[in-house]
Amino acid sequence: MLVRCNSPVSSQILTNLLDSCWFFFWNISLAAEEVIKQIEEFDGLEALRLEGNTVGVEAAKVIAKALEKKSELKRCHWSDMFTGRLRSEIPPALISLGDALITAGAQLVELDLSDNAFGPDGVRGFEALLKSPTCYTLQELKLNNCGMGIGGGKILAAALKECHRKSSAQGKPLALKIFVAGRNRLENDGATALAEAFGIIGTLEEVHMPQNGINHPGITALAQAFAINPLLKVINLNDNTFTEKGALAMAETLKALRQIEVINFGDCLVRSKGAVAIADAVKEGLHKLKELNLSFCEIKRDAALTVAEAIEDKAELEKLDLNGNCLGEEGCEQLQEILEGFNMAAVLGSLSDDEGEEEEDEEEEEDEDEEEEEEEEQQQLKEREQGEQESLTPKKIIDSQDSTPVPSPPVDVTTFLAFPSPEKLLRLGPKCSVLIAQQTDTSDVEKVVTTLLRISSVFKDEAPVKTAVHETTDALMRKAFTSATFNSDAFITSLLIHMGLLKSEEKIKAVPSLYGILMTLNHMVQQDYFPKSLAPVLSAFVTKPNRALDSCSFARHMLLQTLHQL
């Protein structure tokens, strides 16, 4: 047990203190009553360590009773405290302890429940605690090796979002800094749920989620969330499966982060293309980088050398790990030569497990594996979005997909607005924003709403398309909102109706997907032309439960976070 005190204690105990106000009682065999007595004797208790114990339901209740008066408790080091206990005993024990902290009015800074195999049900055991004012001040949450699974990950994410919502309402939003949840079998769905929470919180400095069976959809969701956590210093996703898609998404995010010190993507199958993308991100910035781990990622020689070249000006770098890749003897030598040329040979870790250069047939096999993965993902995507795609695809275009090729008609504003696509928007050229704004009657609210929805429907995260959508939206909406005849209230009402968020007496078909318009609105509301008086209205409707919004949860939460910050 670890106790921290702010008030005088007995002289016998004080003699055991060194020059720190932290001290330890290591006596795991103590009976619960004796533990209670020691807790009760210390006024100003700030930290309690119960790790390495075997706390049962009744013992938890007794300890909880003692904690009900410990309002100054800030740190709970409760890892591995249920050794030998049945899984069914853990949730009620956690509930008792959590309720006691809530009753005491404690304001936690750190909660560590690692190495307690409580599974999804165990998360329910401290769900109420996470949602309570006791955790509004939480900075460190450690849940390593708890077997939470997808279900537990979703419960945890929902609790964190609720905590942030409630704490924000009191003017002091949850500002979580460190999140640890390795070895929890979160997989894509669990990781995606947590990514939504991370995107809302926005204050993370360290994220440790190794060994969770996360593939590229989950990695991509995390990457998007990390991009709006600008204080991130440590990203540890070791032993998940990026593949090229996940690696490219993460590389794009790294370009936006300026505080990164540690990147651990070891055993993540980033492969060569992913490694080159990450190298580009490292080269462009990341001047505070201290450690880069891309070991056991099936990276070939040329890509590994590109990574080495990218760290030339990283004066803070202490470790580069490229072990277990496919460099070959010559490649290993070349790698060392490059680093020696930078006077950085000392940062390179061991290459003892290098797999040697791949043969041509092995490279072909890797390409085939990637193609199979992509085909499988595309099939799953088609099954999920079949209805949406059918509604978006005009019948004439479907009919034209016969054996006889039909030449593409010339692209003008009318053609784009009739059948919008990213390619058509880009083909309109650099003046597309001016052209669309000029040809839209901004005195007609319905025309403005329809045009905005068609522009936003082609939104993609790719830079050229995103820029074109933003510039076109800005030109259109600046013209509209600065017009003396434009009715802003009628605009927001019509937009909400077309988004399916507000009912209308007329039968108006809602847009099939809200992702594009939500991402576009996230940009719009930050511009000087957008009336700030519309923000509360938009926030109120986007916050309401809605199935269409739920399917675009990341975009929804990004918009809500931006609106909250206005």
Side-chain angles (χ1 to χ4, degrees):
M1 183 174 70
L2 164 63
V3 180
R4 182 176 182 176
C5 60
N6 287 331
S7 59
V9 293
S10 70
S11 58
Q12 181 180 358
I13 293 175
L14 283 174
T15 57
N16 293 328
L17 295 176
L18 298 176
D19 55 355
S20 169
C21 60
W22 292 82
F23 61 97
F24 299 80
F25 262 102
W26 293 113
N27 192 345
I28 296 174
S29 63
L30 287 174
E33 289 79 4
E34 199 168 341
V35 173
I36 306 310
K37 182 181 177 183
Q38 295 189 37
I39 291 174
E40 290 176 339
E41 283 179 354
F42 291 102
D43 295 330
L45 179 67
E46 290 192 8
L48 177 63
R49 189 184 296 276
L50 294 173
E51 61 187 9
N53 278 289
T54 174
V55 178
V57 176
E58 294 307 315
K61 288 180 180 178
V62 179
I63 295 171
K65 192 69 177 173
L67 291 175
E68 288 180 355
K69 297 178 182 179
K70 301 300 175 183
S71 61
E72 295 181 46
L73 187 64
K74 292 181 173 62
R75 299 183 182 274
C76 296
H77 300 273
W78 294 353
S79 63
D80 189 25
M81 61 180 285
F82 298 110
T83 304
R85 293 291 170 179
L86 294 175
R87 188 162 151 176
S88 59
E89 293 182 89
I90 300 177
L94 288 173
I95 290 171
S96 296
L97 293 167
D99 288 349
L101 297 178
I102 296 169
T103 300
Q107 293 187 315
L108 294 185
V109 172
E110 180 180 1
L111 177 60
D112 185 356
L113 291 169
S114 299
D115 300 314
N116 290 306
F118 45 58
D121 293 339
V123 185
R124 293 284 188 200
F126 60 93
E127 179 184 16
L129 174 63
L130 279 181
K131 293 179 180 179
S132 75
T134 294
C135 284
Y136 290 178
T137 52
L138 196 64
Q139 295 180 14
E140 301 179 29
L141 179 58
K142 300 174 181 178
L143 299 165
N144 201 57
N145 192 31
C146 291
M148 290 189 292
I150 295 172
K154 289 182 176 180
I155 296 167
L156 175 61
L160 289 172
K161 288 188 285 187
E162 182 71 0
C163 180
H164 186 272
R165 185 187 68 80
K166 288 181 175 180
S167 57
S168 297
Q170 292 193 5
K172 294 182 179 180
L174 170 68
L176 191 66
K177 294 181 179 180
I178 298 175
F179 180 83
V180 181
R183 300 181 65 188
N184 271 292
R185 305 192 308 277
L186 294 169
E187 300 182 16
N188 289 332
D189 290 347
T192 300
L194 285 167
E196 293 171 11
F198 297 162
I200 293 171
I201 293 168
T203 57
L204 288 168
E205 295 181 10
E206 295 185 22
V207 176
H208 303 262
M209 296 174 65
Q211 293 183 313
N212 270 299
I214 308 170
N215 299 326
H216 81 79
I219 296 297
T220 300
L222 288 171
Q224 291 170 338
F226 292 166
I228 44 181
N229 280 266
L231 301 178
L232 264 176
K233 296 179 181 178
V234 178
I235 303 177
N236 176 8
L237 294 174
N238 189 283
D239 199 8
N240 288 292
T241 307
F242 282 40
T243 62
E244 182 184 336
K245 289 184 178 180
L248 292 176
M250 195 61 71
E252 195 64 29
T253 285
L254 290 174
K255 293 177 182 178
L257 300 175
R258 292 289 176 266
Q259 305 302 319
I260 289 291
E261 296 178 2
V262 177
I263 298 171
N264 186 345
F265 297 159
D267 204 12
C268 282
L269 204 65
V270 303
R271 291 182 174 149
S272 294
K273 290 181 181 178
V276 169
I278 292 168
D280 289 342
V282 170
K283 190 171 185 177
E284 286 183 20
L286 305 188
H287 296 294
K288 296 183 180 181
L289 189 64
K290 294 180 179 179
E291 180 178 336
L292 176 59
N293 185 347
L294 294 175
S295 59
F296 299 94
C297 282
E298 294 190 6
I299 300 170
K300 297 169 191 170
R301 179 180 63 179
D302 290 347
L305 299 181
T306 301
V307 172
E309 290 167 352
I311 67 167
E312 179 179 3
D313 63 344
K314 309 307 168 194
E316 302 294 320
L317 194 72
E318 298 172 359
K319 183 178 180 181
L320 172 64
D321 193 345
L322 288 169
N323 199 17
N325 286 300
C326 311
L327 281 66
E329 186 176 346
E330 184 179 345
C332 289
E333 290 175 358
Q334 290 176 324
L335 181 64
Q336 290 167 333
E337 287 173 5
I338 289 173
L339 294 175
E340 284 171 1
F342 303 153
N343 292 320
M344 297 179 71
V347 305
L348 183 62
S350 170
L351 297 173
S352 59
D353 293 318
D354 186 74
E355 296 288 339
E357 284 194 271
E358 287 187 350
E359 300 295 333
E360 243 180 74
D361 57 343
E362 289 177 332
E363 292 179 10
E364 289 173 4
E365 188 178 326
E366 179 184 306
D367 292 337
E368 287 172 5
D369 289 343
E370 288 179 352
E371 286 174 10
E372 286 175 8
E373 287 171 9
E374 188 170 343
E375 286 174 7
E376 186 178 342
E377 289 154 9
Q378 286 176 348
Q379 182 60 33
Q380 290 172 351
L381 186 63
K382 284 179 183 177
E383 291 172 359
R384 287 198 304 268
E385 300 181 356
Q386 187 175 1
E388 178 180 329
Q389 292 301 322
E390 286 175 358
S391 63
L392 283 173
T393 307
K395 188 175 185 300
K396 289 182 180 178
I397 292 180
I398 295 173
D399 292 340
S400 73
Q401 293 175 350
D402 296 326
S403 55
T404 307
V406 178
S408 300
V411 177
D412 54 21
V413 172
T414 304
T415 304
F416 166 73
L417 292 177
F419 304 117
S421 72
E423 294 74 19
K424 287 176 186 171
L425 181 62
L426 294 176
R427 283 170 61 192
L428 281 173
K431 293 185 178 180
C432 63
S433 58
V434 176
L435 292 171
I436 291 175
Q438 286 177 343
Q439 296 185 37
T440 303
D441 180 7
T442 52
S443 65
D444 187 332
V445 168
E446 280 299 307
K447 284 187 178 178
V448 173
V449 170
T450 302
T451 302
L452 174 63
L453 289 170
R454 289 178 178 172
I455 294 168
S456 64
S457 71
V458 306
F459 180 92
K460 293 174 72 175
D461 284 320
E462 296 173 5
V465 177
K466 181 163 66 173
T467 300
V469 169
H470 286 172
E471 289 178 350
T472 308
T473 298
D474 289 342
L476 172 67
M477 298 314 303
R478 189 181 298 278
K479 178 185 175 184
F481 283 126
T482 54
S483 170
T485 60
F486 189 71
N487 189 328
S488 299
D489 292 334
F491 164 78
I492 199 70
T493 300
S494 176
L495 180 62
L496 291 169
I497 290 170
H498 281 274
M499 291 172 69
L501 305 182
L502 183 63
K503 290 184 179 179
S504 170
E505 293 180 359
E506 300 176 11
K507 289 187 177 180
I508 296 177
K509 187 176 180 181
V511 292
S513 172
L514 294 181
Y515 179 76
I517 186 59
L518 289 173
M519 295 298 287
T520 303
L521 283 169
N522 186 55
H523 168 79
M524 266 179 59
V525 299
Q526 300 177 64
Q527 308 311 309
D528 57 3
Y529 61 73
F530 185 82
K532 302 307 178 192
S533 60
L534 299 183
V537 179
L538 188 57
S539 180
F541 281 90
V542 175
T543 304
K544 288 184 176 181
N546 181 283
R547 186 174 296 177
L549 286 171
D550 291 341
S551 66
C552 304
S553 54
F554 180 77
R556 175 195 205 176
H557 289 306
M558 281 193 68
L559 174 58
L560 286 174
Q561 185 182 40
T562 301
L563 289 169
H564 177 73
Q565 293 172 349
L566 291 177

